[in-house]
Amino acid sequence: MPPIEIRQGKEHGSSVKMWLFEEFLSKEECEQLIKVHDEHLKELVKQKPIVCFDSAQTLQQHLRTLKREKAAELVSADDFTPGTTCLNQTFSRQLEKWGLKWSFSTAFYPGESKFSNVLGKRIEEATMLNETHGGKYQITSYPFDVGYRAHTD
């Protein structure tokens, strides 16, 4: 099935060219990907992650969203683990107690599995872009009340 170009419009205010590939994956492939992601999530929820942000300003925004204005005023780059933009375990758990929620991702890296090899070749054939120009393939799920905030990948 040929790709459909998504044109810029009200719902797509981006200048980035986009194409929709209907039925790029089969129903069975989609079901297996969902199963792999669900299994990965079962392991992830057992862990208590440290929380990372792209900047102190982003952390402040999240604190304000959580109605923690006083904490937001006190935040600085010194709150991050040296050399990172990640909080320590204690502050990460405090954010979780205050209600911070996050999305969950399962990544597939080129060459690490039969699936990533097949998908890379399929994308190359469909787009004419060399598969070595890509990166990881990722499934991200958003639990209830977790929004997709503006960010850069």
Side-chain angles (χ1 to χ4, degrees):
M1 201 176 264
I4 301 164
E5 185 173 359
I6 310 271
R7 301 224 179 251
Q8 186 173 349
K10 270 199 253 179
E11 64 278 354
H12 301 97
S14 172
S15 62
V16 174
K17 290 190 175 200
M18 295 181 282
W19 285 267
L20 173 64
F21 289 81
E22 292 282 356
E23 301 178 27
F24 191 76
L25 298 174
S26 70
K27 181 180 178 186
E28 294 77 22
E29 288 169 322
C30 292
E31 288 170 352
Q32 287 303 309
L33 284 173
I34 291 168
K35 183 178 175 183
V36 167
H37 182 62
D38 288 345
E39 290 299 317
H40 186 219
L41 289 184
K42 286 178 187 173
E43 292 303 313
L44 279 176
V45 297
K46 294 177 187 174
Q47 302 172 19
K48 294 294 182 182
I50 59 170
V51 182
C52 303
F53 298 90
D54 66 344
S55 66
Q57 291 77 20
T58 301
L59 170 56
Q60 289 170 327
Q61 289 172 348
H62 282 278
L63 287 166
R64 288 186 188 103
T65 299
L66 295 170
K67 308 282 190 252
R68 301 294 173 169
E69 286 81 6
K70 188 79 165 168
E73 292 172 18
L74 300 173
V75 165
S76 75
D78 294 334
D79 290 307
F80 297 116
T81 302
T84 75
T85 54
C86 297
L87 303 174
N88 65 26
Q89 189 76 359
T90 303
F91 199 175
S92 293
R93 293 295 61 76
Q94 184 60 58
L95 282 174
E96 187 176 16
K97 287 178 187 169
W98 285 343
L100 182 71
K101 297 176 184 174
W102 48 82
S103 59
F104 296 94
S105 294
T106 302
F108 301 89
Y109 293 90
E112 79 171 356
S113 68
K114 181 180 177 185
F115 165 75
S116 64
N117 291 333
V118 169
L119 185 60
K121 287 291 182 203
R122 200 178 295 177
I123 291 170
E124 183 174 355
E125 290 169 8
T127 64
M128 306 309 261
L129 297 171
N130 190 310
E131 71 175 310
T132 62
H133 296 174
K136 67 181 176 181
Y137 311 114
Q138 182 171 302
I139 300 171
T140 302
S141 60
Y142 299 88
F144 183 74
D145 259 359
V146 174
Y148 187 85
R149 296 177 186 257
H151 72 285
T152 303
D153 283 336

